[in-house]
Amino acid sequence: MNILMIYPEFPDTFWSFKHALKFIRKKASSPPLGLLTVAAMLPAEWEKRLIDLNVTHLTQKDLAWADYVFLSAMVVQREAAYKVIARCKQAGVPVVAGGPLFTGEYEAFPDVDHFVLNEAEITLPRFLADLERGCPERLYTTTEFPDIRKTPVPLWELLDLRQYATMSIQFSRGCPYDCEFCNITALFGRRPRTKTAAQIVAELDSLYALGWREGVFFVDDNFIGNKKQLKAEILPALIEWRKDKVGMPFNTEVSINLADDEELMRKMVAAGFTMVFVGIETPDEESLAECNKFQNRGRDLVESVKRLQRAGLQVQGGFIVGFDNDTPSIFERQIDFIQKSGIVSAMVGLLQAPYGTRLYQRLKKEGRVVSEMSGDNADGSTNIIPKMNMDVLREGYKKILSQIYSPRLYYERVITFLREYEPPKIKLHLDFEYVMALWRSIYELGIKGIERVHYWQLFFWTLAHKPRLFPHAISFAIYGYHYRRVYELYA
Ligand code: B12
């Protein structure tokens, strides 16, 4: 059996990092981990190939080779997925689809032959058994959450590793918190399900053996969902693993209460974590109460962020405007907060109601859900009728973005961050492309760019005050260019 796994192209978004990737000559930020995981669950004797349309093309020859196409996508890849399905149909290759896009809206894809939805650990074996008997059904779903201690090591071999900026691995699924707008608990449950230390070490070993030395993103919904297991089992195993390794800094997603736990922060940093994404959402207490984000309440959020930074963790933040409690003063307050916190990468979105969330149910009852989501939560669109006047909200939103990604405020924030940040202690690997990225940034940003004055200020400030953080400063300059370009598109 020949299986062609296809991952559709992402549009140009905040998360695509397209404008930054060209500096390091990479084509995509992350690999399609869902497909690689599914590939490892298929019979070993089947032939498998991967076409990630973010790094390569799909040819007629590829389609002629395939007995089945296995397709995965998120909502943001919807249009690109339709195109892939049309090509498969034309070529007469049956399509098996899974992943978040199809799990959420499979009815909208009449041309897909089989849907294997939810988590494949449960639904895929059922499909494969029916396929073997020659009677595969069209739809496989489940309401159960599988034990991921049996999930196999992803089939990294299918990837051309050189095309990616980071690799992904997953330790847990689910999140103990229950924020009103978030669909994670609906999708993956509130009790975090975790892999074992042996599994994680095996995944890291397999990547290391393939020569991978760049970053690894732990794609957990909340990495610290099970702190006890992390402290006792996982982090000690990672610290041990790292002893004779070079490179592979880790990043992940956590809730802000990590800042309350010195031991956990220390162990994460020792294990090689250098960056965390945190859902900050808003500095407004009322709005935090409205969305049930109690882990963010009753604390000095700026100070919590700084504590993480001082421990050696760069903080990326997610922010939302458009809560029912928000008044037009929120825009200035968000800008102010982002500047003070030194959160260089701030993903700001309008409040949206994903299907399956408590927010969706509440607003549906109030007649305030107008459509499904665009799938990109940082594109300035929303599927709800906000309490605030829509034009005021849109204008305020644009103002936040145009300010925080203006070269002046952006570079100011980079310096605020670098002052606070404790550099990583792990041995980093220096790739030739990263050296070249420095020269490319000098030309693109330091000579041609509208940010050139700020670029050179940061360049010399860092060399004078924080020379060890010089590579970080250059990376930030490159990211800043990407964010500005993306938000010019949204404007
Ligand atoms: C890593 C990640 C990213 C990464 C990398 C994505 C990439 N290249 O694949 C980055 C940071 C780029 C990203 C960005 C975004 N993401 Co994202 N992301 C995730 C995250 C945290 C993990 C995904 C992952 O790798 N999981 C591990 C693998 C093993 O799981 P999986 O892909 O779901 O695959 C399993 C099943 O779905 C199934 N399966 C998957 N594909 C297939 C295919 C077949 C044929 C079969 C049979 C089965 C199958 O089997 C697998 C094993 O069970 C998820 C949350 C989550 N826990 O899944 C959100 C998630 C996928 N992201 C989401 C969103 C909304 C986004 C963003 C729009 C913004 C945001 N809020 O984060 C952007 C859009 C991307 C863009 N470029 O514009 C949503 C998607 C919702 C939807 N219905 O589409 C999720 C579910 C989070 C959420 N709260 O809803 N994301």
Side-chain angles (χ1 to χ4, degrees):
M1 188 80 91
N2 290 344
I3 305 295
L4 188 64
M5 318 213 89
I6 304 183
Y7 201 49
E9 203 178 344
F10 282 111
D12 190 4
T13 63
F14 181 94
W15 285 113
S16 69
F17 291 116
K18 194 172 127 192
H19 305 283
L21 289 169
K22 70 175 191 192
F23 285 85
I24 48 168
R25 298 288 189 265
K26 304 282 179 196
K27 295 228 173 94
S29 67
S30 326
L33 187 61
L35 281 177
L36 298 177
T37 307
V38 167
M41 295 177 196
L42 296 176
E45 63 281 9
W46 288 10
E47 290 290 326
K48 296 137 201 146
R49 283 171 48 194
L50 171 75
I51 302 280
D52 177 352
L53 288 166
N54 298 287
V55 309
T56 186
H57 303 285
L58 174 66
T59 65
Q60 286 310 111
K61 223 170 118 195
D62 296 323
L63 289 169
W65 171 86
D67 293 314
Y68 277 96
V69 159
F70 273 43
L71 181 66
S72 176
M74 296 191 214
V75 172
V76 73
Q77 291 154 291
R78 190 190 284 128
E79 292 315 313
Y82 274 120
K83 284 192 193 141
V84 172
I85 295 165
R87 284 195 63 187
C88 295
K89 180 123 180 125
Q90 227 172 21
V93 193
V95 176
V96 181
L101 168 66
F102 304 103
T103 296
E105 45 184 274
Y106 68 90
E107 295 97 334
F109 295 89
D111 287 340
V112 168
D113 300 270
H114 306 281
F115 292 103
V116 180
L117 306 181
N118 306 103
E119 294 176 59
E121 285 81 353
I122 293 183
T123 48
L124 187 67
R126 294 179 190 163
F127 169 70
L128 293 179
D130 288 352
L131 189 65
E132 204 177 330
R133 288 204 309 270
C135 53
E137 292 182 11
R138 181 144 193 270
L139 181 62
Y140 294 82
T141 62
T142 179
T143 49
E144 287 164 58
F145 297 125
D147 178 351
I148 60 172
R149 284 174 298 184
K150 296 190 191 89
T151 302
V153 175
L155 224 57
W156 310 115
E157 294 77 5
L158 299 183
L159 289 176
D160 178 0
L161 291 174
R162 291 163 310 172
Q163 309 285 1
Y164 296 88
T166 60
M167 282 295 120
S168 308
I169 71 172
Q170 188 179 42
F171 160 60
S172 69
R173 294 184 195 162
C175 175
Y177 297 108
D178 196 17
C179 307
E180 193 192 27
F181 54 79
C182 178
N183 52 357
I184 285 299
T185 45
L187 288 170
F188 301 108
R190 274 189 84 169
R191 192 178 58 79
R193 287 164 291 131
T194 57
K195 291 182 181 169
T196 61
Q199 270 174 298
I200 295 300
V201 166
E203 294 195 21
L204 290 172
D205 273 342
S206 65
L207 276 177
Y208 204 81
L210 289 168
W212 186 255
R213 299 292 179 271
E214 304 309 325
V216 172
F217 178 14
F218 279 66
V219 296
D220 294 29
D221 306 308
N222 185 353
F223 183 72
I224 62 164
N226 184 339
K227 290 187 193 169
K228 220 168 122 194
Q229 188 192 3
L230 274 186
K231 286 181 192 168
E233 187 196 338
I234 305 299
L235 294 173
L238 291 181
I239 293 168
E240 190 54 36
W241 179 84
R242 186 163 283 289
K243 276 189 180 151
D244 56 347
K245 307 289 189 306
V246 176
M248 278 180 103
F250 302 147
N251 67 299
T252 190
E253 303 187 354
V254 296
S255 41
I256 192 73
N257 52 318
L258 172 60
D260 308 336
D261 194 328
E262 282 295 333
E263 181 193 353
L264 192 53
M265 282 193 287
R266 195 170 15 86
K267 285 192 166 152
M268 278 182 67
V269 170
F273 284 86
T274 59
M275 183 160 74
V276 289
F277 180 93
V278 183
I280 305 276
E281 323 310 356
T282 174
D284 188 288
E285 273 289 318
E286 296 292 309
S287 297
L288 288 172
E290 170 189 325
C291 69
N292 195 36
K293 193 131 192 158
F294 65 86
Q295 67 275 28
N296 287 31
R297 293 187 61 198
R299 63 167 70 235
D300 180 345
L301 278 166
V302 171
E303 179 48 31
S304 297
V305 170
K306 303 244 171 204
R307 244 185 276 150
L308 293 167
Q309 293 167 341
R310 286 194 290 264
L313 294 164
Q314 187 200 139
V315 179
Q316 299 183 322
F319 297 87
I320 296 177
V321 287
F323 288 109
D324 286 357
N325 274 290
D326 281 350
T327 62
S329 69
I330 192 63
F331 309 117
E332 273 305 321
R333 288 176 63 201
Q334 289 278 26
I335 296 169
D336 211 48
F337 180 91
I338 292 168
Q339 288 308 112
K340 277 200 189 115
S341 65
I343 293 181
V344 180
S345 295
M347 179 183 78
V348 189
L350 292 186
L351 183 67
Q352 304 204 35
Y355 181 74
T357 56
R358 286 188 298 109
L359 179 67
Y360 187 92
Q361 287 164 13
R362 173 165 72 84
L363 297 188
K364 187 98 195 161
K365 258 195 226 143
E366 294 173 19
R368 293 169 59 196
V369 175
V370 284
S371 61
E372 291 310 319
M373 287 169 43
S374 69
D376 179 355
N377 66 354
D379 66 356
S381 71
T382 183
N383 64 336
I384 64 166
I385 303 172
K387 280 247 167 100
M388 198 187 299
N389 174 291
M390 193 62 172
D391 293 335
V392 176
L393 182 58
R394 283 243 162 79
E395 278 315 301
Y397 175 71
K398 279 190 192 157
K399 180 178 160 195
I400 297 181
L401 294 175
S402 64
Q403 297 240 349
I404 64 172
Y405 290 114
S406 69
R408 187 175 66 79
L409 264 66
Y410 180 80
Y411 278 80
E412 216 175 86
R413 204 156 73 241
V414 173
I415 292 183
T416 304
F417 166 69
L418 294 179
R419 276 187 213 281
E420 208 76 43
Y421 187 49
E422 181 63 32
K425 294 183 181 62
I426 60 172
K427 273 180 256 150
L428 289 174
H429 163 77
L430 192 60
D431 185 281
F432 174 70
E433 282 303 341
Y434 285 80
V435 180
M436 288 308 293
L438 168 64
W439 299 112
R440 291 179 194 124
S441 76
I442 288 179
Y443 176 65
E444 283 287 337
L445 314 176
I447 297 172
K448 274 173 58 189
I450 59 161
E451 58 271 79
R452 53 185 171 271
V453 173
H454 306 282
Y455 176 90
W456 289 113
Q457 271 168 357
L458 174 67
F459 193 102
F460 291 115
W461 182 91
T462 313
L463 287 178
H465 297 94
K466 293 265 184 159
R468 282 191 57 206
L469 293 179
F470 184 70
H472 286 74
I474 297 302
S475 302
F476 282 131
I478 292 172
Y479 281 129
Y481 171 75
H482 167 76
Y483 298 140
R484 186 161 53 75
R485 292 293 304 274
V486 166
Y487 286 123
E488 272 165 17
L489 285 177
Y490 292 157

